[in-house]
Amino acid sequence: MTLFTPMLRDSPLSEIFSDENTLQRMLDFEAALARATALCGVTPESSMTIISAQCQADKLDIPAIAQAAAGAGNLAIPLVKQLTANVKQQDEQAARYVHWGATSQDVIDTGLILQLREAIDASEALLEQLISALIEQIQRHQHSVMPGRTWMQHALPITFGLKLAGTLDALLRWRERLQEMKPRVLVLQFGGAAGTLASLNEQGVAVAQALANSLSLNQPDTPWHSQRDRLLEVASWFAGVSTTLGKFANDFSLLMQTEVAEVGEPVAPGRGGSSTMPHKRNPVSCAAILTATTRIPGLMATLYASQNQQHERALGGWQAEWETLPQLITLAGGVMQTTRELFSGMQVNTDKMRANLDITHGLIMAESITLALAKSLGKQAAHHLVEQLCHRALDENQPLAALLEQHPQVIPHLSSTQIAYLLDPQHALGSNDKFIHQVLARAAQQNREPT
């Protein structure tokens, strides 16, 4: 389905999970295993160089491996078979030591962990770009007043900067979680046939440590063939970041509606057009993001279901991860890449934001009037009075200010100047600026902290 890759998975993460790179990372395990067993004196040192030299994906017949995997049950068995044959052509004795002490799942899982390390590094770079672009937009729009909306209706005034700061706040937490997660998930898988490394006798732990060192991975306390919580944690991180960005895309697309028109996606030739309607400017970036985030929960459900793995090696659950996790991560990569472009090039119509505050003739500021009158009339009486005047303003299509200035219960307590002040959205932003400052300060602090 490569036709959809530019639309949904156009990020550096897609290449990380290509067929070639998947097999190459498995070969990286085999080369490191040859080095580790030779270093520990389990296999001849001479075999290490010969085996390592053949651990290159371009020396494999990839279609043949794929075809053979259908009968073998996994990719590792035909990969090791081809690797052994290639080594044997160079040195028959060295071929005896290919894959020494390992099992198929060790190769596949550790290869996957090496891919995940690449994916995490690439995602970390994308996340930094997202955060930087968002900070710039927040600083630009921290005073851009707009309607806040609850239940899809006008609520109270906010600033667009605060709306963006909510997304930044979440992304900063995802950045923290990523740093916490890496030591737990970037670990070696090496347990042999049943997770005991019995074929290596007393050298098992030493070989495992040498193998982990060679691959720059942490050494777990036990092999984790059927304990898949690490992969679930990785998947949850990618899914979580995607849903945060999906929430932003959903809000952004709503603000792009013709009747609202407060924001717009970046402009480029041919972008967002319609095959029949020349005037259309569709939110194509938001559509791509929401398409991916609609699929991700189902992929997460598969990974949760696959946690139920039998005994020391799974039947079905492990295998269900092979396509599901890469699909989820590459979709998440596309979400991050597309959102980065959206953050950087978004168009913001501050005049329309301000105009939309006035479409209810001042009703969005009714709470300010209520609180001011409550000091004299009491909260319940003030609320009832202002509610009645709001209904009149709507029914008679009049500004709320005019009705307030004429009402006998209001005149003794609020002057026209006070009413105008209370109905000005700029004076009803509460702690808006404080919240933005706090988020920006935390972003600056994280940027100074060593990772």
Side-chain angles (χ1 to χ4, degrees):
M1 305 294 286
T2 55
L3 281 172
F4 296 106
T5 294
M7 183 187 301
L8 300 175
R9 294 180 292 275
D10 188 16
S11 84
L13 278 70
S14 290
E15 186 59 31
I16 291 169
F17 292 96
S18 67
D19 293 344
E20 293 78 6
N21 199 53
T22 296
L23 296 179
Q24 184 57 58
R25 297 302 158 240
M26 293 166 65
L27 290 171
D28 290 346
F29 170 88
E30 293 292 348
L33 178 61
R35 291 192 294 271
T37 54
L39 179 65
C40 294
V42 175
T43 59
E45 189 172 339
S46 59
S47 65
M48 172 185 67
T49 303
I50 298 170
I51 293 172
S52 296
Q54 296 302 313
C55 288
Q56 299 177 33
D58 59 7
K59 296 186 176 184
L60 298 175
D61 183 342
I62 295 178
I65 288 177
Q67 189 64 40
N74 64 61
L75 291 171
I77 293 173
L79 178 140
V80 171
K81 185 176 180 179
Q82 276 197 30
L83 175 60
T84 302
N86 291 347
V87 172
K88 189 174 183 179
Q89 290 180 352
Q90 306 300 316
D91 187 301
E92 190 167 340
Q93 289 301 311
R96 297 170 58 189
Y97 300 106
V98 172
H99 194 62
W100 192 269
T103 192
S104 297
Q105 190 165 354
D106 294 335
V107 187
I108 294 171
D109 280 352
T110 301
L112 175 60
I113 292 296
L114 296 176
Q115 289 177 285
L116 291 179
R117 180 166 63 190
E118 292 181 275
I120 287 171
D121 288 344
S123 298
E124 195 166 14
L126 280 173
L127 185 59
E128 295 307 316
Q129 294 167 17
L130 284 166
I131 289 171
S132 295
L134 202 49
I135 288 173
E136 290 183 14
Q137 295 287 7
I138 291 169
Q139 292 170 336
R140 185 175 297 127
H141 293 291
Q142 58 184 329
H143 302 303
S144 299
V145 183
M146 65 180 294
R149 296 171 170 94
T150 61
W151 286 48
M152 304 290 284
Q153 306 292 310
H154 279 204
L156 292 173
I158 63 170
T159 67
F160 191 53
L162 180 63
K163 196 172 190 70
L164 298 175
T167 301
L168 176 61
D169 191 26
L171 292 181
L172 295 178
R173 290 192 296 276
W174 287 119
R175 181 159 69 175
E176 291 171 350
R177 293 184 186 106
L178 182 61
Q179 298 307 318
E180 295 166 356
M181 177 181 74
K182 285 195 287 187
R184 286 194 295 270
V185 302
L186 298 180
V187 299
L188 176 72
Q189 173 75 287
F190 187 52
T196 62
L197 292 177
S199 62
L200 294 172
N201 300 316
E202 69 279 359
Q203 291 287 80
V205 173
V207 171
Q209 189 60 62
L211 180 53
N213 293 343
S214 179
L215 294 170
S216 299
L217 294 175
N218 293 325
Q219 170 74 313
D221 291 331
T222 66
W224 44 279
H225 292 131
S226 55
Q227 300 293 342
R228 315 301 284 179
D229 57 288
R230 290 180 175 91
L231 301 187
L232 189 62
E233 184 175 8
V234 172
S236 297
W237 186 87
F238 281 100
V241 170
S242 298
T243 52
T244 292
L245 300 178
K247 182 263 191 293
F248 175 85
N250 194 34
D251 285 353
F252 199 90
S253 64
L254 291 172
L255 295 178
M256 275 187 69
Q257 291 181 104
T258 305
E259 296 82 357
V260 181
E262 293 178 0
V263 299
E265 290 191 355
V267 177
R271 182 187 181 92
S274 165
S275 61
T276 59
M277 294 173 283
H279 67 281
K280 290 296 292 294
R281 187 177 164 197
N282 293 319
V284 292
S285 292
C286 294
I289 294 165
L290 293 171
T291 298
T293 56
T294 298
R295 291 183 57 196
I296 284 173
L299 296 171
M300 278 302 302
T302 298
L303 293 172
Y304 271 106
S306 71
Q307 293 290 301
N308 184 11
Q309 303 204 1
Q310 304 87 0
H311 300 305
E312 282 64 55
R313 194 68 54 80
L315 179 67
W318 171 49
Q319 294 83 351
E321 300 167 354
W322 296 345
E323 287 187 318
T324 305
L325 184 55
Q327 286 175 0
L328 188 154
I329 292 175
T330 53
L331 284 170
V335 168
M336 296 175 76
Q337 179 76 22
T338 303
T339 307
R340 183 192 65 78
E341 296 164 2
L342 183 57
F343 281 172
S344 299
M346 71 171 69
Q347 296 188 321
V348 182
N349 188 342
T350 55
D351 291 339
K352 192 61 162 64
M353 288 178 172
R354 186 63 183 82
N356 283 343
L357 284 165
D358 297 329
I359 62 175
T360 57
H361 304 298
L363 265 61
I364 194 170
M365 298 303 302
E367 184 187 54
S368 296
I369 299 293
T370 300
L371 294 175
L373 288 174
K375 297 175 183 178
S376 304
L377 304 180
K379 178 67 183 297
Q380 186 172 359
H383 179 89
H384 181 68
L385 172 61
V386 175
E387 186 178 39
Q388 286 184 320
L389 293 176
C390 287
H391 290 164
R392 276 189 61 194
L394 290 172
D395 293 341
E396 300 172 12
N397 196 27
Q398 291 194 58
L400 180 61
L403 297 178
L404 289 167
E405 291 171 356
Q406 300 166 11
H407 200 281
Q409 286 184 267
V410 176
I411 294 172
H413 308 293
L414 296 177
S415 67
S416 296
T417 301
Q418 288 173 313
I419 290 171
Y421 181 90
L422 291 169
L423 291 178
D424 186 346
Q426 291 282 1
H427 300 143
L429 294 173
S431 299
N432 183 98
D433 291 348
K434 175 66 173 176
F435 293 148
I436 292 175
H437 174 75
Q438 288 176 167
V439 176
L440 292 177
R442 185 155 59 89
Q445 179 183 0
Q446 281 190 9
N447 289 338
R448 290 192 297 269
E449 293 173 351
T451 57

